[in-house]
Amino acid sequence: MTDTRVAVYLDFDNIVMSWYDRVHGRNSYSRDRSRIAEDPTDPEIAERLQRATIDVGAIIDYAASFGTLVLTRAYADWSSPVNAEYRQQLVARAVDLVQLFPAAAYAKNGADIRLAVDTVEDMFRLPDLTHVVIVGGDSDYVPLAQRCRRLGRYVVGVGVAGSTAKSLAAACDEFESYDTLPGVTVPEKPKATARSGAASKPAPAEKAESAPKAEGEAKRSRRSSRAKQEPVDEDTMVPFDEIPPEDLHAAASRLLERALRLGRDKGDDAEWLHTSAIKQHMRRMDPSFSEKKLGFRSFTDFVKSRDQLAEVQESGHERLVRLKD
């Protein structure tokens, strides 16, 4: 796995819609599509979008576990407010954003065709590519996966459970559900709360008089709330060297845990992993990581300091590490 070079292609609209349906129920995005397009800042819609937020870092870190990422592309209409929320995170992870201008109502197959054309072109343009990671569960990608395998590439698929075609999973050399990636959890559905009756409704005259003022205050409050909730170091979305000093240790621990989980999952049930391989994986996930920034002389010393998370086994010149249960 030392000479592997990986290309990642994300059908971003597909993964966002599929995860929205996974969190809120089947066909939820189709039912809410018009409301999302009309006003994504509506309190109810904003809350539903927030709960169905995609962990971009989990996908990219998983792809990086196969080798060096030589290119990563995400296809979507980035002028859409739903997708625009992710632009900063994606750019911070060096993802190339490919703009799709909807020519029809919902730009059906727009991403599929563009993604497939770019993938085949890249395989001939970059003959040293060894792995192709396709993020999206659409069955339209089956011929693409088959062609990539025919051209000698190892094909990895990533999709949301319940929204991925079985034929696509069968066409890949390896397929992983987004739900099972380290750091990803399906949020629990909120409990229904009893709504008060007429007492909570203002009188018609009062409501009409206060509506413009209340609407303006609500929009300002939502903008302020979103600004306060901007993640500072959410699962290594922000480069390591841009994280405030007080948060470096927490970010490093999360990075170590994710690397250990991915290494264990790929090691054929091997619990003990070489510290050099784990460090290399962490540097692939976040090239700005350095144990010296945290005050440690060596990577082994850094791992030993996380004794609540990992344990180290030393035998001669060999250093092994495993994740604690």
Side-chain angles (χ1 to χ4, degrees), residues 28-41:
S28 294
Y29 195 91
S30 297
R31 290 194 296 269
D32 295 342
R33 186 193 295 270
S34 59
R35 296 180 62 191
I36 293 173
E38 181 179 346
D39 184 11
T41 62

Side-chain angles (χ1 to χ4, degrees), residues 229-272:
Q229 293 176 0
E230 278 298 320
V232 176
D233 61 342
E234 183 180 348
D235 291 333
T236 70
M237 290 290 189
V238 177
F240 196 74
D241 53 5
E242 296 180 13
I243 299 174
E246 63 272 15
D247 295 330
L248 280 177
H249 285 272
S253 296
R254 288 196 295 272
L255 193 65
L256 174 63
E257 180 182 6
R258 179 168 286 178
L260 288 171
R261 289 188 183 280
L262 288 169
R264 184 181 62 182
D265 293 345
K266 292 181 177 299
D268 296 328
D269 298 327
E271 292 187 6
W272 293 98

Side-chain angles (χ1 to χ4, degrees), residues 155-178:
V155 180
V156 181
V158 179
V160 176
S163 300
T164 300
K166 292 182 179 179
S167 55
L168 176 60
C172 298
D173 292 291
E174 185 174 337
F175 190 90
E176 190 71 28
S177 173
Y178 169 77

Side-chain angles (χ1 to χ4, degrees), residues 60-61 64 68-69 92-94 236 238-241 255 279-291 293:
I60 298 177
D61 290 345
T68 303
L69 299 183
R93 297 304 297 265
T236 70
V238 177
F240 196 74
D241 53 5
L255 193 65
K279 179 179 179 179
Q280 184 181 17
H281 188 186
M282 291 175 67
R283 291 299 299 271
R284 283 202 299 260
M285 291 192 293
D286 188 347
S288 59
F289 167 77
S290 172
E291 68 275 6
K293 292 181 181 178

Side-chain angles (χ1 to χ4, degrees), residues 3-217:
D3 297 323
T4 54
R5 295 169 65 80
V6 185
V8 186
Y9 304 90
L10 297 95
D11 183 346
F12 206 76
D13 282 327
N14 182 286
I15 203 75
V16 167
M17 295 178 188
S18 299
W19 186 240
Y20 191 95
D21 289 347
R22 178 77 172 86
V23 173
H24 299 297
R26 191 174 182 84
N27 296 325
S28 294
Y29 195 91
S30 297
R31 290 194 296 269
D32 295 342
R33 186 193 295 270
S34 59
R35 296 180 62 191
I36 293 173
E38 181 179 346
D39 184 11
T41 62
D42 177 85
E44 182 181 355
I45 290 297
E47 189 273 337
R48 289 171 69 83
L49 289 171
Q50 177 64 31
R51 294 184 64 246
T53 299
I54 294 291
D55 187 347
V56 178
I59 298 174
I60 298 177
D61 290 345
Y62 173 71
S65 69
F66 291 95
T68 303
L69 299 183
V70 294
L71 64 88
T72 307
R73 294 199 182 108
Y75 298 78
D77 178 8
W78 300 109
S79 63
S80 169
V82 176
N83 298 328
E85 293 288 334
Y86 294 93
R87 283 187 300 194
Q88 183 177 355
Q89 297 179 15
L90 289 163
V91 171
R93 297 304 297 265
V95 178
D96 182 17
L97 306 184
V98 180
Q99 172 66 37
L100 300 178
F101 296 98
Y106 296 126
K108 180 170 176 57
N109 293 331
D112 306 22
I113 297 172
R114 178 69 182 274
L115 188 153
V117 169
D118 286 353
T119 303
V120 174
E121 180 184 6
D122 289 337
M123 282 190 292
F124 286 99
R125 186 172 57 89
L126 304 171
D128 59 339
L129 282 181
T130 59
H131 289 60
V132 173
V133 179
I134 302 173
V135 183
D138 200 325
S139 60
D140 291 346
Y141 293 123
V142 170
L144 174 62
Q146 293 172 334
R147 180 56 56 90
C148 291
R149 294 178 69 182
R150 197 176 306 150
L151 292 173
R153 270 63 171 193
Y154 189 88
V155 180
V156 181
V158 179
V160 176
S163 300
T164 300
K166 292 182 179 179
S167 55
L168 176 60
C172 298
D173 292 291
E174 185 174 337
F175 190 90
E176 190 71 28
S177 173
Y178 169 77
D179 314 44
T180 63
L181 298 181
V184 176
T185 57
V186 182
E188 297 181 358
K189 293 184 179 180
K191 296 181 180 179
T193 57
R195 296 184 178 180
S196 55
S200 63
K201 298 180 180 180
E206 178 185 353
K207 182 176 180 180
E209 182 178 352
S210 61
K213 181 179 179 181
E215 183 179 356
E217 291 179 354

